[in-house]
Amino acid sequence: MDALRDPPRRERFIPPCLGATGRHSPARDPSRDHSASRLSEPKQGIWSRVGSRTRSALTVGLRSLSPPLAGGYYEELEELLVAADLGPAMAATLVAGVRSRSPRKREEAIDALVAVAAGVMSKKPRELNLAGNPACILFYGVNGAGKTTTAGKVAFRLREQGRKPLIVAADTYRAAGIEQMVAWAERAAVPHFDGSSGADPASVVFDGLQMARKRGHDVVIADTAGRLQTQRNLLEELGKIGRVASKALDDEHYESLLVLDAVLGLTSLVQAREFNKAIPITGLVLAKLDSTAKGGAAIAIEAELDVPVKLVGVGEAIEDLAPFDPAAFIRAIFH
């Protein structure tokens, strides 16, 4: 594989035992099962804050509808759900589910809506799959979705848990992209391996995985270049990155995470469909979920693709990342 080492990489390492404050991070506890990770549980009240904009549109509307027994209730409910960016198909599915439960009062109808919405969400595991030696998390998505920020936040959380992550900056199309990832790596106090501008990103990921194995890193976090779902050549390149990563991992499974900008709402479903054709998606990240009134789109995306949202970005600070709790999220936006 010597050909994969041209052009040369730039390697810069931060002492992996030091945290952002200069203190030693906690030692990894070998007695714990590290094959899956929930990162850390969200702060109390986070779902109320995350769902506030979507909820403000939905709850006022739900409580202003006619009673369920009145004529026109279900048509009004469907229109309200479409306006909340769940899309016509999902709105019709949810309304049919509520109707089948024959609620008599508004609160009964809302409780039925919560139950039906929870039932259409993906049942696949939401924990990060961190099995493998090393484990690998590959981030991708359109430009500006929040991939690099999310990669830095995940690296920070994993280091805080006592893991030894390595960030691989594989956005080789833009020097600024590499510099941004390096800045997040240094902010998270995590070592990084960055490819030269113009290098083959699949080769950078391969070499990063090989180096991580040699140096004892147990998780590789790979950040890739932004690409539109309409750019077929770049989607094919992403598929190649996935295949090369799988080969470097001896065909072990890795996390393949599509980062979506939650502000775009149901538009993200179009992106997810196309990315899923290029590379199997194992999970979704909803970035900027605290800044949108279109959070309902998460329900439609999960239901169609059967791919779970695993992480949500809820602010700009390095700590502002949380595992996704579908039940808490649904309650937050409908109640």
Side-chain angles (χ1 to χ4, degrees):
M1 302 300 295
D2 290 343
L4 293 178
R5 303 191 181 280
D6 293 320
R9 314 280 184 256
R10 293 181 291 122
E11 300 176 29
R12 287 183 287 171
F13 284 89
I14 300 168
C17 61
L18 295 181
T21 61
R23 296 190 297 268
H24 285 274
S25 57
R28 182 176 175 183
D29 181 355
S31 67
R32 294 180 58 190
D33 177 12
H34 287 264
S35 62
S37 175
R38 285 281 291 172
L39 295 186
S40 59
E41 293 303 316
K43 300 173 184 176
Q44 187 175 10
I46 192 173
W47 295 111
S48 177
R49 176 164 61 89
V50 165
S52 61
R53 295 196 179 192
T54 303
R55 185 177 66 251
S56 64
L58 274 172
T59 54
V60 173
L62 286 170
R63 284 165 174 75
S64 65
L65 295 179
S66 306
L69 295 179
Y73 171 80
Y74 292 104
E75 289 77 11
E76 294 174 13
L77 176 60
E78 187 167 344
E79 291 175 3
L80 180 64
L81 295 176
V82 170
D85 232 39
L86 277 85
M90 180 50 54
T93 296
L94 296 182
V95 168
V98 173
R99 189 194 294 267
S100 70
R101 295 172 182 244
S102 303
R104 302 177 65 85
K105 300 177 181 178
R106 287 193 185 92
E107 286 303 321
E108 291 176 352
I110 293 172
D111 289 342
L113 181 60
V114 168
V116 174
V120 302
M121 301 288 277
S122 175
K123 302 302 184 292
K124 292 181 178 178
R126 296 182 186 274
E127 295 80 6
L128 292 178
N129 176 8
L130 299 182
N133 180 32
C136 179
I137 307 173
L138 181 65
F139 288 103
Y140 51 89
V142 302
N143 305 73
K147 300 177 302 301
T148 303
T149 299
T150 301
K153 290 178 178 180
V154 169
F156 172 77
R157 288 296 183 89
L158 291 177
R159 183 187 62 77
E160 288 283 291
Q161 290 182 355
R163 283 189 168 270
K164 296 178 62 180
L166 173 71
I167 286 178
V168 174
D171 180 358
T172 58
Y173 292 113
R174 299 182 307 123
I178 294 175
E179 291 169 2
Q180 184 185 10
M181 188 70 264
V182 168
W184 270 100
E186 293 175 348
R187 186 176 174 186
V190 169
H192 56 86
F193 176 82
D194 36 301
S196 301
S197 179
D200 176 14
S203 299
V204 175
V205 171
F206 183 92
D207 284 0
L209 286 164
Q210 296 289 84
M211 191 185 72
R213 184 172 287 157
K214 291 177 182 177
R215 301 201 179 192
H217 295 281
D218 55 8
V219 185
V220 168
I221 298 168
D223 178 47
T224 62
R227 63 202 76 215
L228 296 175
Q229 71 273 13
T230 55
Q231 295 174 307
R232 305 312 308 176
N233 60 323
L234 294 183
L235 290 183
E236 290 171 3
E237 178 189 79
L238 180 62
K240 176 185 174 183
I241 293 172
R243 292 190 298 273
V244 168
S246 181
K247 181 178 180 180
L249 294 166
D250 299 324
D251 295 323
E252 288 275 358
H253 292 292
Y254 63 92
E255 279 289 2
S256 170
L257 300 185
L258 172 62
V259 181
L260 299 172
D261 184 345
V263 175
L264 298 179
L266 205 58
T267 301
S268 295
L269 178 56
V270 178
Q271 297 175 11
R273 286 172 183 155
E274 296 304 313
F275 275 98
N276 202 33
K277 294 175 185 177
I279 185 170
I281 303 172
T282 61
L284 302 171
V285 179
L286 291 182
K288 312 171 194 175
L289 191 58
D290 59 318
S291 304
T292 182
K294 299 181 178 182
I299 300 171
I301 294 170
E302 279 209 12
E304 177 173 325
L305 298 179
D306 191 25
V307 174
V309 176
K310 295 196 172 188
L311 301 170
V312 293
V314 293
E316 297 181 0
I318 199 167
E319 301 88 358
D320 289 337
L321 185 75
F324 184 65
D325 183 337
F329 175 71
I330 290 170
R331 286 195 302 270
I333 65 174
F334 288 129
H335 273 293

